[in-house]
Amino acid sequence: MNSELELRLLRSFCAVAEELHFRRAAVRLHATQSAVSQQVKELEQRLGVALFARNRRRVELTDAGRSLYGDAREMLAKAEATVLRTREAALGLRGTLTFGLIGAATFEAMPALMRAVRDKSPEIGFRVREMTAREQFAALRDGTLDAGMVRAEPRTADLQLRTVWREPVICLLPAGHRLAARDRVAIGDLEGEPILNLSRDYDPAAHDLYVGLYRKAGFEPRIVQEVSQIATILFVIAATGCVALGPAGFTVLRRDGVVFRPLAPPVPQVTTRLVWNPKRVSRALEAVLDCSAKLRPAAEL
């Protein structure tokens, strides 16, 4: 059966099934009564069953008609949704965007952006890949990535960055550490402690930020290990007794043997920035960029 013809017949059938009156169904469909009657008759002939019991006073669905009605409504709804999705795709309003992320962006920044997009443009989907900043920049240039989230990387001539999230830096300590009993920890209190830091190859901006904070507090950090995975940071702290600085988003994680403490003022902040290639902006990405402007930029903190 021709699919377009089938949908036309099903529309007429559903209208009559809902109105139980051929004339009212015809008015609703902006068609003539004879045309609607003919389409219902053609559908019955194709199916080989009577869908309506008719007499001069009333029209009623047969058992076969009642059985067909639910399926017909579902088929029509799916067809209408398909048409809508196709038109949106032609306008660039639908699709799945591929995002590169440093691990820390998965705590709060990226979930906040996805919620904002879902509320405004639920037809846009996301595919995420954990990548270093350097990997994200390369992928944005070759078109294999739509956008990314990095730390406060320096601006580049061919890519655009926007601050979308700022959060306090906190201290991560092994449970039972001498500083764990304090309500707040000063960075200077970490002098001489074995320190765990993010690898510079993985996140150069965060690596340099934390090293700079130790030096600003007046000491050279005793970095005994560098890692590039978020889960590894918590494991090493719990297993080896190292201490670390990190974004407040770490508190969404839980691991036995690790405690989180806020820093004593003035509390530094760590920045997450959205990055994209201005030469490769689709309508879907435009919608995401609009939503990103309403997140937690520096001016709001």
Side-chain angles (χ1 to χ4, degrees):
M1 185 185 297
N2 180 278
S3 58
E4 178 59 32
L5 180 60
E6 181 178 326
L7 292 175
R8 177 172 58 86
L9 300 182
L10 289 177
R11 288 190 188 96
S12 293
F13 161 72
C14 286
V16 176
E18 290 161 5
E19 298 290 344
L20 293 178
H21 196 285
F22 278 85
R23 181 177 58 79
R24 290 198 298 267
V27 171
R28 177 170 148 186
L29 294 170
H30 305 288
T32 64
Q33 182 174 337
S34 61
V36 172
S37 297
Q38 182 59 40
Q39 288 163 7
V40 170
K41 183 177 180 181
E42 182 179 346
L43 182 60
E44 288 177 322
Q45 290 172 343
R46 292 191 178 206
L47 295 175
V49 297
L51 299 173
F52 295 100
R54 311 167 177 83
N55 58 45
R56 292 185 176 182
R57 290 179 297 178
R58 60 191 305 177
V59 175
E60 293 181 342
L61 282 166
T62 63
D63 289 343
R66 280 189 288 272
S67 176
L68 175 63
Y69 176 71
D71 290 338
R73 288 306 314 166
E74 184 177 349
M75 290 174 65
L76 290 173
K78 287 182 177 178
E80 291 167 0
T82 298
V83 171
L84 178 60
R85 285 194 299 269
T86 301
R87 289 172 176 167
E88 288 175 339
L91 294 172
L93 298 175
R94 174 175 293 276
T96 299
L97 298 176
T98 302
F99 263 71
L101 302 173
I102 56 170
T106 64
F107 296 150
E108 295 181 295
M110 190 63 187
L113 178 60
M114 292 175 73
R115 286 193 297 270
V117 174
R118 186 168 58 245
D119 289 343
K120 184 177 180 180
S121 302
E123 68 281 357
I124 297 174
F126 291 90
R127 182 183 297 109
V128 297
R129 297 163 52 191
E130 185 171 353
M131 306 168 70
T132 68
R134 186 178 295 112
E135 290 170 339
Q136 290 185 49
F137 290 165
L140 286 166
R141 291 180 178 115
D142 67 24
T144 57
L145 206 63
D146 293 298
M149 280 196 178
V150 298
R151 288 304 185 194
E153 300 291 341
R155 293 192 177 275
T156 59
D158 58 334
L159 300 176
Q160 287 189 260
L161 294 102
R162 170 185 294 164
T163 298
V164 294
W165 203 258
R166 283 181 66 93
E167 55 193 310
V169 175
I170 62 171
C171 185
L172 291 75
L173 300 162
H177 190 277
R178 63 182 180 84
L179 299 174
R182 298 188 182 182
D183 292 333
R184 293 182 178 273
V185 174
I187 295 178
D189 295 331
L190 303 180
E191 184 174 3
E193 294 284 342
I195 291 175
L196 172 69
N197 203 21
L198 277 172
S199 164
R200 197 172 196 286
D201 287 340
Y202 176 74
D203 192 344
H207 174 279
D208 292 350
L209 169 68
Y210 300 138
V211 170
L213 291 176
Y214 296 126
R215 290 172 177 167
K216 187 177 180 179
F219 67 95
E220 191 66 25
R222 185 163 71 90
I223 297 175
V224 298
Q225 191 165 347
E226 293 188 341
V227 299
S228 59
Q229 298 296 324
I230 299 300
T232 306
I233 292 175
L234 300 183
F235 165 75
V236 172
I237 291 173
T240 70
C242 289
V243 301
L245 297 178
F250 264 116
T251 57
V252 305
L253 304 177
R254 292 290 181 269
R255 185 182 178 95
D256 290 343
V258 179
V259 296
F260 308 106
R261 292 292 180 266
L263 293 178
V267 179
Q269 294 183 332
V270 61
T271 301
T272 303
R273 301 176 78 181
L274 187 66
V275 57
W276 69 96
N277 188 336
K279 296 179 181 178
R280 299 177 181 272
V281 179
S282 65
R283 290 285 298 279
L285 183 56
E286 282 183 353
V288 172
L289 294 175
D290 287 344
C291 291
S292 75
K294 301 176 178 63
L295 295 183
R296 192 192 288 180
E300 294 184 1
L301 293 179

